[in-house]
Amino acid sequence: MQHTDLYINGSWHQTPDRFDVINPATEEVLASVASATTTDADAALDAAEAAMADWAARTPRQRSEVLRRAWELMTARLEDFARLITLENGKARVDAMGEATYAAEFFRWFAEEAVRADGLITHAPSSGARIIVQHKPAGLAVLITPWNYPAAMGTRKIAPALAAGCGVVIKPASETPLTMLALMPLLEEAGVPPGLVNVLPSRRAGALVNHMLHDPRVRVVSFTGSTGVGRTLLKGAADQVLKPAMELGGNAPLIVFDDADMDTAIEGTMLAKMRNLGEACTAANRIYVHEAIAPEYTRRLSEAMAALKVGDGSDPSVDVGPLVNAATRDKVAEFVADAVAKGAKVECGGVAPEGKGYFYPPTVLSNVPENADGVHDEIFGPVAALQTFIDTEDVIRRANDTEYGLVAYVFSGDFKRGLQVCERLDYGMVGLNRGLVSDPAAPFGGTKQSGLGREGGHEGMLEFMETQYISASW
Ligand code: NAP
C-alpha cells in the first residue's frame, strides 16, 4: 500500500491541503500527498521529544540492533523501494537499485557505529585532574532532503541520528516524498518507537522548516540540497545557534592525464557522469582531457554515451530515465544551447525528444569554452562537457577555480603523480582512477560553498552528538 499522509508519532495524518506527485516518464499524477503546516510540525516535534527521552536512555547496543534490523528488512525489499524510486524520480531501475542498496547500507554502517561513540580519559598535564571527554545525543534534529536520492539522502541522516540517540523530523523533497513515507512501516517493524522519526511532506518548505528551526527543542539542522537554500537555512539556524550539517551543490572537475589507462578513464567517466543520469551533486561537471589523448577519449566516450538506451526507467532494459521535471530538463537544454552558441561541438545527443516525459539524451560536447554557463553551474543532467589541457599546473588551477569543493576525479597511470594532484585539489573528496566515491564507511562532504560537516564514516554520527568534557578529581 502506498502511504501519502503525514507520519507523526507512528500514525498517519490526513490534511485538507494536498499536492500532486508526478511520474516524470509519463507526466501522469502518481499520488496526492498531504502537505504539512506549522501545527503539524509542532505535533511532530512533541512526538520526537517524547520518544527521544526513552531512546537516548537505551544502551548503544539496543539502538544498534534496531538499526541492524532496519538494514535487514530494507535489504529484503530492495526491489520494492527501487520500483517506487523510479516511479517518483524517474531514474532507471539499475540506478534505483543502486540507490536502494546504498540507502540500506547506512543502517548497517551506523548499527556498527552506534556502539563506537568513543570518548577519552586522560591526565591534565598541569593540574593533574582527569580530563573525561564523552559524546552525548545533541537533541532533536530537523532533516531536509532533495529529490535526486529520495531514499539515500534520508537514511544517510536518519541512521546516524538514531545511532546517536536523537529524535528526528524529516521534510522530504516535494517531487519525491513517497519513498520516505514508504520507509516508515519498515522502521516500525525494525523496532523504531513511535514518534522517534516523523515525516512531513509540505509544499510550504520555507515556512515549515523555519518554524522548526526556531523551536527551542531543536538542536541540529541537517540539510542536503542546493547551496542557495543551504545559505537560507544557515541564516535561520543562527538564531538558535543550531548545529548545522550542510551537504550542498557541487561543480566536480574530472581530469584525465595522458598516461591514464583509457578503459579505466572511460568507465570511470561514465560512472561519474551518468550515475543517476547526471542528477547528482557528485556528477562530473567539467571534464579536462590532456590534448594528446583528447581525440581517442572523445570518440570512445561518445560511443559509450550514444549506446545508452533512454526510456521509461520502469523498463529494466533502459539505462537512462527521464529527468525529474520539466524545469530540470529545460535547464539542461539551455546549458547545451549556451555552450554550442559559444563554440562547443555536439559529438552526440543534444536534442530533447518530442512527446511525454522529461527525457534528454546522453550528450557529449567537445571544445566547451571557459565562459559557457555549464562550466560554472551544475548541469545536473546527462551532458559531458569536455575541455582540453596540456599543463598540469594550469589544469589544477582551472579545477580549483570555483566556489564549490565537493568532489573531483583524477585519472592517471602514475600513482605518485595522481596522489600529488589529488592533494592539491581543494575538494572534500577525490576519486583517483575511480568514478565513484560515495561509501557509507567514508566521510562524505565538501569544502567551500559545497557545505559544512560530513555524512557517513566515523564523522557522520558526531554531527548528531555534542562533546562534553568533565574535569574531575578523585
Ligand atoms: P533544493 O531546491 O535546495 O531542495 C532541497 C530540499 O530543501 C527540498 O526538500 C526542498 O523542499 C527544501 N527547501 C526548498 N526551499 C526551502 C526553504 N526555503 N527552506 C527550507 N527547505 C527548503 O535542492 P533540490 O533541487 O531538491 O536538489 C538539488 C540540489 O541538491 C543540487 O544543488 C545538488 O547538488 C544538491 N545535492 C547535494 C548533495 C550533497 O550531498 N552535497 C546530495 C544531493 C543533492 P521542496 O522540494 O518542497 O521545495
Side-chain angles (χ1 to χ4, degrees), residues 364-375:
V364 177
L365 301 177
S366 59
N367 297 327
V368 174
E370 200 59 41
N371 66 345
D373 292 344
V375 174

PDB file of all heavy atoms in Angstrom, residues 364-375:
ATOM      1  N   VAL A 364      27.467  14.460 -25.496  1.00  0.00           N
ATOM      2  CA  VAL A 364      28.880  14.821 -25.308  1.00  0.00           C
ATOM      3  C   VAL A 364      29.148  16.111 -26.080  1.00  0.00           C
ATOM      4  O   VAL A 364      28.825  16.209 -27.265  1.00  0.00           O
ATOM      5  CB  VAL A 364      29.829  13.701 -25.792  1.00  0.00           C
ATOM      6  CG1 VAL A 364      31.289  14.138 -25.660  1.00  0.00           C
ATOM      7  CG2 VAL A 364      29.596  12.418 -25.012  1.00  0.00           C
ATOM      8  N   LEU A 365      29.714  17.090 -25.378  1.00  0.00           N
ATOM      9  CA  LEU A 365      30.126  18.343 -26.009  1.00  0.00           C
ATOM     10  C   LEU A 365      31.644  18.443 -25.929  1.00  0.00           C
ATOM     11  O   LEU A 365      32.216  18.256 -24.852  1.00  0.00           O
ATOM     12  CB  LEU A 365      29.531  19.544 -25.266  1.00  0.00           C
ATOM     13  CG  LEU A 365      28.009  19.638 -25.149  1.00  0.00           C
ATOM     14  CD1 LEU A 365      27.629  20.850 -24.307  1.00  0.00           C
ATOM     15  CD2 LEU A 365      27.363  19.724 -26.525  1.00  0.00           C
ATOM     16  N   SER A 366      32.289  18.737 -27.049  1.00  0.00           N
ATOM     17  CA  SER A 366      33.738  18.973 -27.013  1.00  0.00           C
ATOM     18  C   SER A 366      34.007  20.469 -27.218  1.00  0.00           C
ATOM     19  O   SER A 366      33.101  21.208 -27.616  1.00  0.00           O
ATOM     20  CB  SER A 366      34.451  18.134 -28.081  1.00  0.00           C
ATOM     21  OG  SER A 366      33.948  18.466 -29.355  1.00  0.00           O
ATOM     22  N   ASN A 367      35.246  20.871 -26.971  1.00  0.00           N
ATOM     23  CA  ASN A 367      35.653  22.292 -27.121  1.00  0.00           C
ATOM     24  C   ASN A 367      34.746  23.240 -26.345  1.00  0.00           C
ATOM     25  O   ASN A 367      34.404  24.318 -26.822  1.00  0.00           O
ATOM     26  CB  ASN A 367      35.633  22.737 -28.596  1.00  0.00           C
ATOM     27  CG  ASN A 367      36.630  21.971 -29.417  1.00  0.00           C
ATOM     28  OD1 ASN A 367      37.683  21.606 -28.911  1.00  0.00           O
ATOM     29  ND2 ASN A 367      36.279  21.707 -30.660  1.00  0.00           N
ATOM     30  N   VAL A 368      34.327  22.835 -25.150  1.00  0.00           N
ATOM     31  CA  VAL A 368      33.455  23.715 -24.361  1.00  0.00           C
ATOM     32  C   VAL A 368      34.282  24.903 -23.870  1.00  0.00           C
ATOM     33  O   VAL A 368      35.322  24.716 -23.241  1.00  0.00           O
ATOM     34  CB  VAL A 368      32.843  22.942 -23.170  1.00  0.00           C
ATOM     35  CG1 VAL A 368      32.050  23.875 -22.258  1.00  0.00           C
ATOM     36  CG2 VAL A 368      31.958  21.813 -23.690  1.00  0.00           C
ATOM     37  N   PRO A 369      33.850  26.123 -24.198  1.00  0.00           N
ATOM     38  CA  PRO A 369      34.665  27.278 -23.804  1.00  0.00           C
ATOM     39  C   PRO A 369      34.524  27.589 -22.310  1.00  0.00           C
ATOM     40  O   PRO A 369      33.513  27.248 -21.693  1.00  0.00           O
ATOM     41  CB  PRO A 369      34.098  28.424 -24.646  1.00  0.00           C
ATOM     42  CG  PRO A 369      32.706  28.020 -24.942  1.00  0.00           C
ATOM     43  CD  PRO A 369      32.653  26.514 -24.956  1.00  0.00           C
ATOM     44  N   GLU A 370      35.534  28.229 -21.776  1.00  0.00           N
ATOM     45  CA  GLU A 370      35.587  28.544 -20.344  1.00  0.00           C
ATOM     46  C   GLU A 370      34.409  29.408 -19.893  1.00  0.00           C
ATOM     47  O   GLU A 370      33.962  29.319 -18.747  1.00  0.00           O
ATOM     48  CB  GLU A 370      36.920  29.272 -20.070  1.00  0.00           C
ATOM     49  CG  GLU A 370      37.397  29.262 -18.641  1.00  0.00           C
ATOM     50  CD  GLU A 370      37.629  27.874 -18.047  1.00  0.00           C
ATOM     51  OE1 GLU A 370      38.169  27.002 -18.738  1.00  0.00           O
ATOM     52  OE2 GLU A 370      37.238  27.680 -16.868  1.00  0.00           O
ATOM     53  N   ASN A 371      33.855  30.208 -20.817  1.00  0.00           N
ATOM     54  CA  ASN A 371      32.764  31.102 -20.407  1.00  0.00           C
ATOM     55  C   ASN A 371      31.379  30.475 -20.581  1.00  0.00           C
ATOM     56  O   ASN A 371      30.359  31.142 -20.405  1.00  0.00           O
ATOM     57  CB  ASN A 371      32.842  32.436 -21.163  1.00  0.00           C
ATOM     58  CG  ASN A 371      32.596  32.263 -22.660  1.00  0.00           C
ATOM     59  OD1 ASN A 371      32.644  31.141 -23.169  1.00  0.00           O
ATOM     60  ND2 ASN A 371      32.332  33.348 -23.356  1.00  0.00           N
ATOM     61  N   ALA A 372      31.307  29.173 -20.898  1.00  0.00           N
ATOM     62  CA  ALA A 372      29.987  28.508 -21.004  1.00  0.00           C
ATOM     63  C   ALA A 372      29.360  28.417 -19.607  1.00  0.00           C
ATOM     64  O   ALA A 372      30.061  28.178 -18.615  1.00  0.00           O
ATOM     65  CB  ALA A 372      30.155  27.116 -21.602  1.00  0.00           C
ATOM     66  N   ASP A 373      28.041  28.597 -19.542  1.00  0.00           N
ATOM     67  CA  ASP A 373      27.357  28.587 -18.236  1.00  0.00           C
ATOM     68  C   ASP A 373      27.578  27.270 -17.490  1.00  0.00           C
ATOM     69  O   ASP A 373      27.721  27.250 -16.266  1.00  0.00           O
ATOM     70  CB  ASP A 373      25.851  28.822 -18.424  1.00  0.00           C
ATOM     71  CG  ASP A 373      25.563  30.237 -18.917  1.00  0.00           C
ATOM     72  OD1 ASP A 373      26.467  31.100 -18.817  1.00  0.00           O
ATOM     73  OD2 ASP A 373      24.435  30.472 -19.409  1.00  0.00           O
ATOM     74  N   GLY A 374      27.589  26.154 -18.226  1.00  0.00           N
ATOM     75  CA  GLY A 374      27.719  24.832 -17.608  1.00  0.00           C
ATOM     76  C   GLY A 374      29.073  24.584 -16.968  1.00  0.00           C
ATOM     77  O   GLY A 374      29.247  23.615 -16.230  1.00  0.00           O
ATOM     78  N   VAL A 375      30.048  25.457 -17.250  1.00  0.00           N
ATOM     79  CA  VAL A 375      31.366  25.326 -16.602  1.00  0.00           C
ATOM     80  C   VAL A 375      31.306  25.898 -15.182  1.00  0.00           C
ATOM     81  O   VAL A 375      32.081  25.519 -14.312  1.00  0.00           O
ATOM     82  CB  VAL A 375      32.451  26.041 -17.453  1.00  0.00           C
ATOM     83  CG1 VAL A 375      33.800  26.059 -16.741  1.00  0.00           C
ATOM     84  CG2 VAL A 375      32.571  25.364 -18.820  1.00  0.00           C
TER      85      VAL A 375
END
